[in-house]
């Protein structure tokens, strides 16, 4: 039964991203693949992680871009059009330290009040790890390389560039925690 959420998430993300944003869809598939690799850390939350990884960038879909801030647009879409699980919606809304980018965009209060951050650090860290160790094309990368790529793509002084530079220490800490947890757990 739990696998139903991952199947549903894949169908939704593919229908919104694959045709119009094939590169974003490739990234999404790579993030979901990372989630499948680390799911053993999450126990009963493993399917929730895979679903959140699959849906984390759905807000980039052109028809969903209301505010232009993909975590907020994606979370609203999942909540309003699909009645998605609240924890899933909150993970999508807050993935990869989105609250810091929301602040740069003047949307912090809106995001924080509508979709509070989950108080589940391992789950939050795992989603950061999956997103920030995946290239735009879906390949594997280090978090340092991913941060550098984002700055290069958007520019250091852009909204995204400012956000990612501010978020970098937190991103790197999340990734280190997941890498340590993976190393400590027997295969």
């Amino acid at each position: 039964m739990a696998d139903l959420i991952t199947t549903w998430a894949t169908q939704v993300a593919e229908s919104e991203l694959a045709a119009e944003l094939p590169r974003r869809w490739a990234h999404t598939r790579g993030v979901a693949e990372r989630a499948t690799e680390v799911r053993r850390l999450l126990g009963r939350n493993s399917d929730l992680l895979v679903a959140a990884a699959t849906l984390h960038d759905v807000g980039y879909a052109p028809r969903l871009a209301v505010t232009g801030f993909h975590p907020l647009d994606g979370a609203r879409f999942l909540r309003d059009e699909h009645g998605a699980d609240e924890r899933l919606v909150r993970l999508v809304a807050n993935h990869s330290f989105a609250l810091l980018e929301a602040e740069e965009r003047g949307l912090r209060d809106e995001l924080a009040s509508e979709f509070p951050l989950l108080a589940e650090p391992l789950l939050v860290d795992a989603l950061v790890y999956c997103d920030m160790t995946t290239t735009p094309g879906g390949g594997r990368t280090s978090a340092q390389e991913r941060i550098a790529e984002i700055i290069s793509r958007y520019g250091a002084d852009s909204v995204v560039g400012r956000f990612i530079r501010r978020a970098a220490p937190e991103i790197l800490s999340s990734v280190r925690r997941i890498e340590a947890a993976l190393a400590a757990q027997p295969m």
Side-chain angles (χ1 to χ4, degrees), residues 111-187:
L111 181 66
S113 65
E114 205 168 326
F115 302 105
L117 184 63
L118 281 179
E120 298 181 56
L122 183 62
L123 190 54
V124 171
D125 281 349
L127 186 54
V128 171
Y129 169 87
C130 296
D131 186 19
M132 298 308 295
T133 60
T134 304
T135 67
R140 190 178 307 274
T141 191
S142 71
Q144 295 88 346
E145 290 171 342
R146 177 82 162 115
I147 291 165
E149 180 277 322
I150 291 168
I151 292 169
S152 173
R153 184 166 23 121
Y154 288 95
D157 293 325
S158 69
V159 168
V160 175
R162 290 190 310 270
F163 145 69
I164 202 71
R165 286 185 291 123
R166 284 181 57 206
E170 297 298 328
I171 290 167
L172 296 173
S173 291
S174 286
V175 169
R176 279 192 299 271
R177 286 190 293 270
I178 294 301
E179 288 172 342
L182 287 168
Q185 191 174 66
M187 297 294 249

Side-chain angles (χ1 to χ4, degrees), residues 3-143:
D3 192 47
L4 289 175
I5 193 171
T6 60
T7 300
W8 167 80
T10 301
Q11 291 169 346
V12 169
E14 183 174 16
S15 70
E16 296 296 337
L17 298 173
E20 291 200 51
L21 301 171
R23 187 167 163 93
R24 184 64 56 187
W25 175 235
H27 169 72
T28 295
R29 288 192 332 263
V31 174
E33 185 177 309
R34 298 294 95 65
T36 300
E37 294 166 4
V38 303
R39 71 186 307 158
R40 70 182 191 265
L41 296 176
L42 281 292
R44 64 180 176 81
N45 287 324
S46 64
D47 289 323
L48 179 60
L49 172 64
V50 175
T54 304
L55 291 164
H56 80 287
D57 277 353
V58 73
Y60 276 114
R63 79 173 192 92
L64 307 179
V66 175
T67 68
F69 181 45
H70 78 278
L72 184 58
D73 292 337
R76 285 177 172 165
F77 160 73
L78 294 170
R79 178 194 63 201
D80 299 344
E81 288 192 34
H82 290 281
D85 175 86
E86 180 188 355
R87 292 169 66 221
L88 172 63
V89 171
R90 288 168 63 187
L91 282 167
V92 169
N94 289 287
H95 75 273
S96 300
F97 300 98
L99 198 55
L100 294 174
E101 185 174 346
E103 190 173 297
E104 290 286 335
R105 294 175 178 272
L107 295 168
R108 180 185 173 87
D109 291 341
E110 197 169 341
L111 181 66
S113 65
E114 205 168 326
F115 302 105
L117 184 63
L118 281 179
E120 298 181 56
L122 183 62
L123 190 54
V124 171
D125 281 349
L127 186 54
V128 171
Y129 169 87
C130 296
D131 186 19
M132 298 308 295
T133 60
T134 304
T135 67
R140 190 178 307 274
T141 191
S142 71

